[in-house]
Structure formats: structure tokens, C-alpha cells
Amino acid sequence: MPVVWGFIQDQLLGMQWLHGLIGRGLSGLGLDISGRVGGSVHFFLYDVIKIAVLLCVLIFFISYIQSYFPPERSKKILGRFHGVGANIAAALLGTVTPFCSCSSIPLFIGFTSAGLPIGVTFSFLISSPMVDLGSLLLLAGVFGWKVAAAYVGVGLVIAVLGGTLIEKLGMDRYIEDFIKNAGGKGLEVPALTQRERLRYAGERMLSTLRKVFPYILVGVGIGAVIHNWIPEVWVEAVLGGESPLGVVLATLIGMPIYADIFGTIPIAEALLSKGAQLGTVLSFMMAVTTLSLPSVILLKKAMKPKLLALFVGICTGGIIAVGYLFNVLHSLLL
């Protein structure tokens, strides 16, 4: 069993065969892959191809699952739950919905206008960009299953606790009136054939790949520079175990950036290889995917400043707490 598990981890998800194949190809062309330039090219080609292939497979699979959960059906499912159970259901639903914060906001607005409790909709809003099935498998391919499962687990905890707190504080009065008065439309959910579901999954795969591929190129490019050009002592000094503010700094740096987890993973991978702590790089990833500046601007149109500040504060505090927790567990998870 360990042999089978290792094969899945290294060869299917990690694609180590691709790493060796590209390395041999570049060496055959006369490029020294142990040097800075050759190492950067090797890192860039391997990570771009690996992430793109995994991305296509994962998006097709997840989009097929999503075809069973259109917005109207999702509203009906969430409407059956109450209390903390509803927050948990919303957070879990977020794992099979959009891949970035800006694309999850329209669903959040639709759920809110349909009359779902505000805490439930916020649990969805936090979970949807932060954790999804794609991030679970992609993280497993880069960092291993223990890190991937822990990342998704703490993301769901943040989503449930954040939504519950917002509900308990009665913050629904800070949702903009035009959203509360929109009202949900009880449309019937059309039944899709298997052919239509497969076509939907294929279209989502291509449209999502076109949207995120530029971020993958930028993210892998930055990762290649960090991996081969930035001295290890620099990264260790700023984001390593001896830096007490590394988690806070990584979170604040990540917040203004607009990307998704597929573009941030190669940066996190490079930082980790240079001596950054696990919790620090995960905090950076969570901040980028959950609190990007464009998503905050969009949310400002849907909620009043007090609620927006509370949402940002809950997410920021949770991400920082998770970062320090993972730093303590660094040696156990890697």
C-alpha cells in the first residue's frame, strides 16, 4: 500500500516523471539545469505544464460535479439546514463552486437576495475561494496529503466560525437594501443529460484555463526567480522560523494581489524550498485567494463598511492564526 500511495503522490500528482523528462531534454540541448538560468527554465517549464495538466483534469471533474448544483438547487439544499449545520453545509458547498473570490461573489449575492441567513451566505463566501476540491488535489501534488488535508480543514473551520460569528452579531442590517429587496426567483432546475453535463464540464475547463493561465505563468515565473535567484538566507530572514512577524507580513503582502490558488502554489513552493515556514506560505496563499483587492471592491457594493470591515477582519485574523499554527506543526506535516 505505501508503494501504491507513493506512486500516486510522486508520479500522478507530483509528475516526477515529467520533471526528469524535461530535465533530460534541456540537458540534451546543452543547458546546464544545475545553474541559475537552466534551473529557472527547468522550474518554469515543469511547473507550467504540471499545473496546466492537473488544472484541466481537476476543473473538468469538478465542473461535472458542479453541474448537479446550479444556484437554484444550491439555495434549496442550503435552505434545508439550520443553525451551525447550515454554516457547515454552506462551507462544504463552497468546495465545489467557483475557483476565485470574484466569481463566488455573484453567487453570494444571489443566496443573500434569496433570503438565506447572512451567516450561511458568509460561510459560503469565505469557503468558496479559499478551499475547493481542486486546491486539495493540487496541494497534495506539491506539498503532500497531510498539508493538503490540513489546509482544507482549517479553511472550512474559518468559514464556519466566521459565518457563525457574523450571524450571531446580527449583521444582516448592513447588507445593502437593493440586495435584500431583490428577492429570490424560484425557477425550476432543468434536468441535464449526461452529454450536456460533459459539454458543460468541457466548456468550464477551457474558459477557466483561459482565465487563470496568465496568472499561472506569472506565478511560476516569480517562483522560478525565487527558487534560483533569491538567496536562501534572505527568505529565511524574512519568512523563516526566526521571523516572528513572517506570517503577518505574508498575509499583508498577499491581500492586495488578485490571483487564485493555481497561480500562488508555485510561489509558495519556491518560498518553502528556500526556508520559509509552512504556515507563512499558506497564509500568503489564503490571503491572495480570499482577500484580493478586486474582490473587496466588489463586496463594497453589496455591503456597508461596517460589515465589510468585519468580514476582512475575521478572514485576516483567521488566516494569521492558521499561519502560526501551521508554523508550529511544520515539522509534523513535512
Side-chain angles (χ1 to χ4, degrees), residues 114-297:
L116 291 176
I118 186 174
V120 174
T121 60
F122 269 90
S123 288
F124 169 84
L125 181 64
I126 296 171
S127 169
S128 180
M130 186 181 290
V131 293
D132 56 61
L133 296 178
S135 66
L136 174 64
L137 295 179
L138 197 55
L139 282 167
V142 176
F143 300 117
W145 278 103
K146 288 192 290 186
V147 173
Y151 176 90
V152 172
V154 296
L156 291 173
V157 169
I158 293 174
V160 172
L161 292 180
T164 302
L165 177 60
I166 289 173
E167 180 75 27
K168 295 297 183 184
L169 292 176
M171 300 300 289
D172 54 314
R173 63 186 182 275
Y174 295 107
I175 293 288
E176 292 292 351
D177 292 336
F178 77 91
I179 292 177
K180 291 189 290 186
N181 297 332
K185 298 179 180 179
L187 300 176
E188 291 295 324
V189 180
L192 299 178
T193 65
Q194 287 300 316
R195 182 187 296 273
E196 289 171 334
R197 294 188 193 282
L198 292 173
R199 183 166 58 247
Y200 168 80
E203 291 172 353
R204 281 296 305 274
M205 178 189 72
L206 293 175
S207 65
T208 304
L209 180 63
R210 283 195 295 266
K211 183 176 69 173
V212 305
F213 194 69
Y215 299 107
I216 293 175
L217 293 178
V218 173
V220 175
I222 294 173
V225 171
I226 294 172
H227 191 271
N228 294 280
W229 296 86
I230 303 298
E232 190 170 314
V233 291
W234 291 8
V235 177
E236 287 183 345
V238 178
L239 302 177
E242 299 301 319
S243 175
L245 296 178
V247 171
V248 176
L249 180 61
T251 303
L252 295 178
I253 291 174
M255 286 171 61
I257 301 172
Y258 176 61
D260 52 38
I261 195 167
F262 305 111
T264 58
I265 281 181
I267 300 175
E269 182 183 12
L271 289 172
L272 198 63
S273 70
K274 285 292 185 176
Q277 290 285 288
L278 175 62
T280 303
V281 298
L282 292 183
S283 291
F284 169 77
M285 291 170 57
M286 285 183 162
V288 170
T289 56
T290 309
L291 294 172
S292 66
L293 185 59
S295 68
V296 172
I297 293 173

Side-chain angles (χ1 to χ4, degrees), residues 293-322:
L293 185 59
S295 68
V296 172
I297 293 173
L298 285 176
L299 284 173
K300 188 177 183 299
K301 300 181 182 298
M303 61 187 71
K304 297 174 183 176
K306 190 170 184 178
L307 177 55
L308 181 61
L310 178 61
F311 167 74
V312 173
I314 289 173
C315 292
T316 304
I319 290 170
I320 291 173
V322 166

